[in-house]
DNA sequence: GTGCATCAGATGCACAAGCATTAAATGTCA
DNA sequence: TGACATTTAATGCTTGTGCATCTGATGCAC
């Protein structure tokens, strides 16, 4: 790997970090201030509702998310504590838990969605 | 904003999150395991050494970094505790602190650099 | 000079993250 | 059936982060 290639790689990575952190930070602040939702909370809620499914297993919802298993588990716990999702047993596999959006959850998501899209539009191309 | 545009925006953002978190997590783990350096620690050390300057003010070094002021302050404190950088008063402006890489700091950076570049090359185009 | 805004950096605090571990249910194979 | 590995999700623990605040030093206007 040449020195020039290295430099480009590092520059690319730094740009990525800067961009990600700017957006994530701004997004988190806006969602928190205006809707009382953290970034990962919104993300989980968003994916749950947009899946079109009434209920999803934890594992299915976690799929494709950027969080570790433990962080995800706690995120859903926070959403549940806030009354935005409900959890129920899965009878087919009693290890698994179903997650469902509550009415409050859908309402909150609907409100927060605009903020989310607006911040993204502002930062990304 | 049309629905299609929205979808693209969200997809773009999710890809960015996924990519960033994969790289950051992997990078942090490798740097930590192999060299006892956290991601931000390496980043600060890297920028300090690559600046070509013998010493930099905290503020100058923080410039362009993705961290908040407090997080950056603590990062340098950790580096100092590890003996990788030194801090000294700036006589021109006694509010400011100079940061300098120590011999140990340069050595550690030199070792870690390869790991860093390798992980980046593996993940980024 | 005095007063006041501003700036550099450190710190108290609350919280979300990852790692390792745990508990219980399920799968597998003899 | 019984023993053992695997999977699903939760939890104890430590640590890094951002926000707000604090302490000093500097700049500026009067």
């Amino acid at each position: 790997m040449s020195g020039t290639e290295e430099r480009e790689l590092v520059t690319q990575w730094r740009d990525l970090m800067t961009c990600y952190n700017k957006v994530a930070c701004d997004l988190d602040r806006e969602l928190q201030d205006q809707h009382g939702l953290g970034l990962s909370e919104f993300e989980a809620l968003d994916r749950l509702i947009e899946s079109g499914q009434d209920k999803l297993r934890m594992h299915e919802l976690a799929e494709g998310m950027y969080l570790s298993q433990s962080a995800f588990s706690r995120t859903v716990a926070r959403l549940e504590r806030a009354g935005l999702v409900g959890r129920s047993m899965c009878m087919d596999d009693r290890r698994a838990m179903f997650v469902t959006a509550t009415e409050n959850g859908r309402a909150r998501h609907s409100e927060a969605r605009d903020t989310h899209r607006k911040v993204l539009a502002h930062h990304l191309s």
Side-chain angles (χ1 to χ4, degrees), chain A:
Chain A
M1 185 162 49
S2 80
T4 311
E5 282 170 341
E6 269 200 13
R7 273 225 174 275
E8 274 179 27
L9 208 58
V10 174
T11 301
Q12 189 188 345
W13 169 235
R14 288 189 182 167
D15 289 349
L16 182 61
M17 273 199 289
T18 304
C19 179
Y20 170 81
N21 280 288
K22 256 206 201 82
V23 182
C25 204
D26 199 3
L27 204 46
D28 194 64
R29 206 155 2 86
E30 293 291 311
L31 288 172
Q32 193 68 59
D33 290 353
Q34 298 184 29
H35 310 283
L37 283 174
L39 177 52
S40 354
E41 274 136 70
F42 176 82
E43 201 65 30
L45 195 57
D46 196 40
R47 287 168 196 243
L48 174 58
I49 288 175
E50 291 201 333
S51 75
Q53 306 292 321
D54 182 50
K55 51 189 180 177
L56 285 179
R57 283 179 175 78
M58 289 285 283
H59 202 256
E60 293 170 322
L61 185 51
E63 188 93 352
M65 269 196 68
Y66 53 93
L67 285 176
S68 71
Q69 184 267 321
S70 70
F72 177 74
S73 174
R74 288 185 161 96
T75 300
V76 176
R78 285 194 297 275
L79 284 171
E80 187 183 33
R81 228 175 303 139
L84 305 178
V85 306
R87 282 193 279 196
S88 55
M89 291 293 264
C90 169
M91 288 314 170
D92 292 357
D93 183 343
R94 293 173 54 199
R95 291 171 298 187
M97 295 289 288
F98 278 131
V99 190
T100 322
T102 62
E103 279 313 307
N104 276 343
R106 289 181 185 281
R108 188 80 69 87
H109 172 258
S110 167
E111 292 163 22
R113 188 199 189 85
D114 276 351
T115 303
H116 183 252
R117 308 303 194 241
K118 210 171 293 172
V119 174
L120 290 194
H122 178 257
H123 282 290
L124 304 178
S125 72

